[in-house]
Amino acid sequence: QVQLVQSGAEVKKPGASVKVSCKSSGYTFTSYHMHWVRQAPGQGPEWMGIINRSGSTTTYAQKLQGRVTMTRDTSTSTDHMELSSLRSEDTAVYYCVRDSGKYGGSHWGQGTLVTVSS
Amino acid sequence: QSALTQPASVSGSPGQSITISCTGTRSDVGHYNYVSWYQQHPGKAPKLMISEVSSRPSGVSNRFSGSKSGNTASLTISGLQTEDEADYYCSSYTGNSLYVFGTGTKVTVL
């Protein structure tokens, strides 16, 4: 069965960076793109970006351009999302979401809570 | 990219049908047949219920159906059940590998 297992919760100070990992299993890793989605407390999901199957191409939401970097290691079937210059508004649960192949997210990681606080 | 517009809440009695709307623009919902719907229970990750406007993934109840007209997509839940009480979000492809989510709708089963 498809599984996406994310790294643990993080607490960061404003201005710092955070890197969240997402290890995939149960499917051919290089056959699917990966999205990253975040959800602030009490808010709806926000699409952050996507990395393609091979890891060669990324597309980021405009508001995060310059602060977010998505990478993937095909040798370990692991995706990474790094967000820099953290602010309190970045406090959220961050999810990796495997693309369904039909322009949707079919499988979600368990989520990683990132708290930004001084 | 602005969030797609959904009603904040919709309610219905068990057995009834309800419809949730998701309004975008000619550049997203109106242009692409790539609207997805997600169900989210408290403290859980969202679950894909509908993709490509009306396609149900394996395992999703046929009580859930999707449609689209112009710039507005809709999710209909028929035979409403208590376990359907959750938050629902739409999402649309907007071109150039970009996506946007809706504002979310809280479904209450009376």
Side-chain angles (χ1 to χ4, degrees):
Chain A
Q1 73 285 18
V2 175
Q3 279 195 309
L4 306 178
V5 179
Q6 299 184 220
S7 49
E10 304 261 15
V11 179
K12 295 291 183 180
K13 293 195 181 304
S17 296
V18 68
K19 191 170 186 177
V20 178
S21 66
C22 169
K23 183 171 177 60
S24 295
S25 61
Y27 71 99
T28 302
F29 183 67
T30 51
S31 292
Y32 295 88
H33 310 317
M34 189 70 76
H35 303 259
W36 286 87
V37 173
R38 69 179 181 179
Q39 190 167 25
Q43 304 298 312
E46 177 187 11
W47 185 83
M48 299 178 66
I50 187 171
I51 186 165
N52 75 337
R53 287 179 286 256
S54 66
S56 61
T57 303
T58 53
T59 303
Y60 304 131
Q62 187 175 10
K63 71 176 284 188
L64 295 173
Q65 287 274 2
R67 290 205 300 136
V68 67
T69 303
M70 296 174 188
T71 56
R72 67 174 15 195
D73 183 345
T74 56
S75 68
T76 60
S77 300
T78 302
D79 287 282
H80 303 277
M81 185 285 300
E82 184 169 21
L83 188 62
S84 62
S85 302
L86 290 168
R87 4 183 131 139
S88 58
E89 311 90 87
D90 294 319
T91 293
V93 176
Y94 289 75
Y95 294 100
C96 56
V97 185
R98 199 201 79 171
D99 190 75
S100 65
K102 293 186 175 184
Y103 295 86
S106 59
H107 295 83
W108 293 60
Q110 84 274 21
T112 297
L113 176 62
V114 175
T115 303
V116 182
S117 174
S118 54
Chain B
Q1 181 68 48
S2 298
L4 308 174
T5 301
Q6 300 179 231
S9 63
V10 173
S11 62
S13 299
Q16 285 187 329
S17 292
I18 62 169
T19 297
I20 304 167
S21 62
C22 168
T23 302
T25 68
R26 289 187 303 177
S27 299
D28 40 59
V29 175
H31 191 78
Y32 300 98
N33 288 324
Y34 299 140
V35 176
S36 298
W37 287 92
Y38 300 89
Q39 175 192 66
Q40 186 177 33
H41 287 108
K44 301 292 188 182
K47 174 187 176 183
L48 180 65
M49 305 301 283
I50 295 286
S51 63
E52 291 184 311
V53 175
S54 59
S55 177
R56 245 186 342 267
S58 173
V60 173
S61 170
N62 58 10
R63 297 186 299 102
F64 292 84
S65 61
S67 62
K68 191 186 85 166
S69 177
N71 298 339
T72 298
S74 299
L75 174 72
T76 297
I77 309 174
S78 57
L80 198 61
Q81 299 180 1
T82 55
E83 59 261 36
D84 299 333
E85 187 162 292
D87 293 324
Y88 291 82
Y89 297 95
C90 61
S91 173
S92 177
Y93 180 66
T94 70
N96 297 315
S97 299
L98 297 166
Y99 293 76
V100 65
F101 277 95
T103 52
T105 299
K106 182 177 181 60
V107 168
T108 301
V109 181
L110 302 172

